[in-house]
Amino acid sequence: MKTPLTLAISGAAGQISYSLLFRLASGELLGPDQPVRLNLLEVTPALPHLEGVVMELQDCAYPLLDRVMLTDDAKSAFRDADYVFLVGAKPRGPGMERRDLLTANAEIFKHQGQVLGECGNPNVKVLVTGNPANTNAMIALRNAPGLTEQNFSAMSMLDHNRAVGMLAKKCGVPAFDIKNVIVWGNHSAGQYPDLHHARVRGQSALSVVDWDWFTNDFIGHVQNRGAEVIQARGRSSAASAANAALKLMQTWIAGTPDDDWISMAVASDGSYGISKGLMFSFPVQIRQGRYEIVQGLSISDFSRQHLQRSERELQEEYQAVKHLLS
Amino acid sequence: MKTPLTLAISGAAGQISYSLLFRLASGELLGPDQPVRLNLLEVTPALPHLEGVVMELQDCAYPLLDRVMLTDDAKSAFRDADYVFLVGAKPRGPGMERRDLLTANAEIFKHQGQVLGECGNPNVKVLVTGNPANTNAMIALRNAPGLTEQNFSAMSMLDHNRAVGMLAKKCGVPAFDIKNVIVWGNHSAGQYPDLHHARVRGQSALSVVDWDWFTNDFIGHVQNRGAEVIQARGRSSAASAANAALKLMQTWIAGTPDDDWISMAVASDGSYGISKGLMFSFPVQIRQGRYEIVQGLSISDFSRQHLQRSERELQEEYQAVKHLLS
């Protein structure tokens, strides 16, 4: 039997984690012969509820689940962690301005970044799901001495999958027939789901669907999908968000297929004119656990405007929290 | 690519299904090269909520998910189904007596049994999770012309896994070191989790833990685990119930390992003196999709009393619904 690997999850008592933990423990992330340890992090008041979740994990008698630990201390949770899912974030409270929310979360992620840096695992993979995910991830990265931009990502996989699912439905094909969709920018309604390079069974997507549908239906639909799910379910996306986190981490470990890429928010290196350092969703390819931003894609004027709009949004977020960057 | 197989799930908008559907769609049940279709059944008022769940399934862009259909008509849901998860059941309403609850559910499961019989798939596997699961499964089986006791099971896998998890924790070993636990009887607090034949790393469990712990702690703890989880989580077990349903169906398809069995509620053939026809949880072994009740186990006087108590409980349930049996 292999040595166990350790997965740390923050916000472990929340709804997304409830959809994530049982899939992680079953071996879906690391395969059927890899034992795992779960380090579950929560704020102190949520620990009793989290104990109920731990009971249920025990009640699954998972053959691969070597140990579950719950804690309200980030250092205990992240020590020895190989893969970290930062799911927890402060939600917007009544009367809270957007700027207050950004700052409150930035302080949490500053601390978590510092702790991750101190833990000193140079190969740790940290995926930020808690919103505002991109800026939270930037804060964590910039406060984690010894770690690099290769250690951090913010999730745009949910947006990517939403775009793939919607295009597949429109074209009446299964999702695996869709390739090279891109979601650019921020994980917010300011994101830009782009079909210029997408293919449907090998054909250019924009020769299969018409421009009107792309610009007047698809883009807004993907951008506002979260609100649509809330309206139907009465609750925000949890299972699909957890699925995206699992798939992103899986792909980060196993790599992208040769004929496709994924959308992943990573620290900009200036590619496509995006300000260096912003966590921005790009098309990336992954080999041996390292991502590379796909280079050389043509960007139409239409796309350029959308990229810049999302960049401006992230710059505004940056202004609100830059006092917390080291 | 293989021909898709069809999974039907009732109570599809509920919490257990929310933990189950995304694992079924990911390929956990039937493997990474088997496309699946999901037929989702709900009562009419829950269909709008279920549409939100369907959106989230689409938002996962599952490569193996060939089609999702939602309906309030059992015939549409069960037609062509290869595997059926009967998760939905009427919950106890205010002022409702236990007998009323039994009858209300019996009517639902009578109808579903009839429809399954009419669908005419002689290889369909139907797992009843909705409570009172054993009696509901008996009603469905007895109203399904053309189907046999090999087509129906009620879930005691959750109880089995709870027993395994609890013994593993007590002994400080991983769950895969525990074999041959049995949960006998009803999926209720009247069940009997039995360690007489269980082994911990090959040793007899009752030589590893003491009799007092077994009789005064373990049994009651497993029997009342559901209530304990509700108290901690504020909600009933969902993810662990979904996991048990998935594992049971997986084992029903793939078979039990040579050195172990599972607990599965099936129609009694009189084994161990249990009245024929009652759906009673026995230790079973499964080969090529067919279960057999493990024969010849010694039953102590202590165990005999517990088996008979659970049998009496099921007989009482039978009395309440027998007018609905054909």
Side-chain angles (χ1 to χ4, degrees):
Chain A
M1 189 62 97
K2 295 182 187 173
T3 308
L5 291 172
T6 299
L7 314 176
I9 299 95
S10 76
Q15 285 304 306
I16 294 177
S17 293
Y18 193 66
S19 283
L20 178 61
L21 297 177
F22 295 81
R23 296 182 67 180
L24 296 177
S26 81
E28 258 202 277
L29 178 65
L30 297 168
D33 61 349
Q34 177 58 62
V36 293
R37 294 179 168 169
L38 297 181
N39 288 356
L40 309 182
L41 178 64
E42 255 302 351
V43 293
T44 320
L47 289 180
H49 177 97
L50 183 55
E51 287 194 35
V53 178
V54 173
M55 284 179 202
E56 285 206 75
L57 284 165
Q58 180 186 310
D59 292 350
C60 292
Y62 284 116
L64 295 171
L65 186 55
D66 184 74
R67 197 189 65 196
V68 182
M69 190 259 285
L70 75 177
T71 178
D72 56 4
D73 172 48
K75 198 167 283 185
S76 309
F78 299 157
R79 189 188 300 141
D80 308 321
D82 299 287
Y83 305 104
V84 179
F85 295 86
L86 297 182
V87 180
K90 209 182 176 75
R92 191 178 240 175
M96 205 174 187
E97 294 293 323
R98 183 169 164 76
R99 177 172 288 262
D100 300 335
L101 181 73
L102 277 161
T103 311
N105 272 297
E107 275 162 10
I108 295 169
F109 284 83
K110 176 179 178 168
H111 173 65
Q112 296 188 342
Q114 287 168 336
V115 172
L116 283 161
E118 287 159 16
C119 289
N121 175 356
N123 299 314
V124 68
K125 292 190 191 317
V126 183
L127 171 61
V128 177
T129 303
N131 281 319
N134 300 54
T135 296
N136 289 342
M138 177 185 64
I139 293 271
L141 161 58
R142 296 278 287 274
N143 283 283
L147 298 181
T148 76
E149 68 281 353
Q150 283 287 338
N151 298 109
F152 286 88
S153 167
M155 191 164 80
S156 48
M157 192 77 188
L158 177 55
D159 310 297
H160 183 96
N161 281 345
R162 284 168 171 168
V164 170
M166 228 167 268
L167 180 60
K169 186 180 179 193
K170 172 75 175 171
C171 299
V173 302
F176 63 77
D177 278 332
I178 304 290
K179 311 273 181 204
N180 300 114
V181 162
I182 306 173
V183 173
W184 301 92
N186 200 4
H187 176 59
S188 74
Q191 69 184 258
Y192 171 47
D194 177 8
L195 295 184
H196 282 81
H197 305 276
R199 289 173 298 121
V200 181
R201 291 194 171 153
Q203 279 191 278
S204 163
L206 289 178
S207 73
V208 177
V209 299
D210 61 35
W211 181 258
D212 253 20
W213 180 79
F214 168 53
T215 54
N216 295 322
D217 190 336
F218 174 80
I219 294 176
H221 221 115
V222 176
Q223 287 172 332
N224 297 299
R225 181 65 159 183
E228 200 187 350
V229 170
I230 289 176
Q231 192 164 13
R233 281 223 316 137
R235 295 173 146 243
S236 61
S237 306
S240 55
N243 181 73
L246 179 70
K247 281 312 284 183
L248 187 281
M249 195 64 94
Q250 222 168 30
T251 310
W252 200 352
I253 297 167
T256 43
D258 287 337
D259 65 344
D260 204 1
W261 55 56
I262 58 166
S263 305
M264 182 168 171
V266 297
S268 173
D269 58 358
S271 294
Y272 299 99
I274 302 302
S275 312
K276 270 182 107 161
L278 290 181
M279 292 295 273
F280 195 90
S281 180
F282 290 101
V284 309
Q285 285 184 314
I286 301 174
R287 298 278 171 279
Q288 297 176 321
R290 292 183 66 82
Y291 68 79
E292 281 193 18
I293 297 170
V294 176
Q295 298 297 328
L297 297 173
S298 61
I299 305 293
S300 69
D301 288 346
F302 178 87
S303 292
R304 175 74 55 201
Q305 284 175 18
H306 280 84
L307 261 72
Q308 287 172 347
R309 190 176 309 158
S310 209
E311 185 191 19
R312 275 197 301 280
E313 192 178 71
L314 283 166
Q315 279 166 334
E316 284 163 25
E317 292 187 12
Y318 167 75
Q319 291 301 322
V321 302
K322 66 177 178 191
H323 61 289
L324 293 168
L325 294 171
S326 38
Chain B
M1 188 63 98
K2 294 184 186 172
T3 308
L5 292 172
T6 298
L7 315 177
I9 299 95
S10 76
Q15 285 304 306
I16 293 177
S17 293
Y18 193 65
S19 284
L20 178 61
L21 297 176
F22 295 81
R23 296 182 66 180
L24 296 177
S26 81
E28 258 202 279
L29 179 64
L30 297 167
D33 61 349
Q34 176 58 61
V36 294
R37 292 178 169 170
L38 297 181
N39 288 356
L40 308 182
L41 178 64
E42 253 304 349
V43 292
T44 319
L47 289 180
H49 176 98
L50 183 55
E51 287 194 36
V53 178
V54 173
M55 284 180 203
E56 284 205 76
L57 283 165
Q58 180 186 312
D59 292 351
C60 293
Y62 284 117
L64 295 170
L65 186 55
D66 184 74
R67 197 189 65 198
V68 182
M69 191 258 288
L70 75 178
T71 178
D72 56 4
D73 172 48
K75 198 167 281 183
S76 310
F78 299 157
R79 188 188 301 141
D80 308 321
D82 300 286
Y83 305 103
V84 179
F85 295 85
L86 298 183
V87 180
K90 209 181 175 78
R92 192 179 237 173
M96 208 173 184
E97 294 293 323
R98 182 168 164 76
R99 178 172 287 263
D100 302 334
L101 182 73
L102 277 161
T103 311
N105 273 297
E107 276 162 10
I108 295 169
F109 284 83
K110 175 179 178 169
H111 173 65
Q112 296 189 342
Q114 287 168 336
V115 173
L116 283 162
E118 288 159 16
C119 289
N121 175 357
N123 299 315
V124 69
K125 292 192 192 315
V126 183
L127 171 61
V128 177
T129 304
N131 282 319
N134 299 53
T135 296
N136 289 342
M138 178 185 65
I139 295 270
L141 161 58
R142 297 278 287 274
N143 283 283
L147 298 181
T148 75
E149 67 282 355
Q150 282 287 337
N151 298 109
F152 286 88
S153 166
M155 191 164 81
S156 47
M157 192 78 188
L158 177 55
D159 310 297
H160 182 96
N161 281 345
R162 284 168 171 168
V164 170
M166 229 168 268
L167 180 60
K169 187 180 177 190
K170 173 74 175 171
C171 299
V173 302
F176 63 77
D177 277 332
I178 305 290
K179 312 274 181 202
N180 300 115
V181 161
I182 306 173
V183 173
W184 301 92
N186 199 5
H187 176 59
S188 74
Q191 69 186 258
Y192 170 48
D194 177 8
L195 295 184
H196 282 81
H197 305 278
R199 289 174 298 121
V200 180
R201 291 195 169 153
Q203 279 190 277
S204 163
L206 289 179
S207 73
V208 177
V209 300
D210 62 35
W211 181 256
D212 253 18
W213 180 79
F214 169 52
T215 54
N216 296 323
D217 190 336
F218 174 80
I219 294 177
H221 221 115
V222 176
Q223 288 172 332
N224 297 299
R225 181 66 159 182
E228 199 186 351
V229 170
I230 290 177
Q231 193 165 12
R233 281 222 318 135
R235 296 175 145 243
S236 59
S237 306
S240 54
N243 181 72
L246 179 71
K247 281 311 286 183
L248 187 282
M249 195 63 95
Q250 222 169 29
T251 310
W252 200 353
I253 297 166
T256 42
D258 288 337
D259 64 344
D260 204 0
W261 54 57
I262 58 166
S263 304
M264 182 167 169
V266 297
S268 174
D269 58 358
S271 295
Y272 300 98
I274 302 303
S275 312
K276 269 180 108 161
L278 290 181
M279 292 295 273
F280 196 90
S281 180
F282 290 101
V284 310
Q285 284 182 314
I286 301 175
R287 298 279 172 278
Q288 297 176 321
R290 291 184 67 82
Y291 68 79
E292 281 192 18
I293 296 171
V294 175
Q295 298 297 328
L297 297 173
S298 60
I299 305 293
S300 69
D301 288 346
F302 178 87
S303 292
R304 176 73 56 201
Q305 285 175 14
H306 279 84
L307 260 71
Q308 288 173 346
R309 191 176 308 159
S310 208
E311 185 190 21
R312 276 199 299 280
E313 191 179 71
L314 283 166
Q315 280 166 333
E316 284 163 24
E317 293 187 10
Y318 168 75
Q319 291 302 322
V321 302
K322 67 176 177 189
H323 60 289
L324 293 169
L325 295 171
S326 36

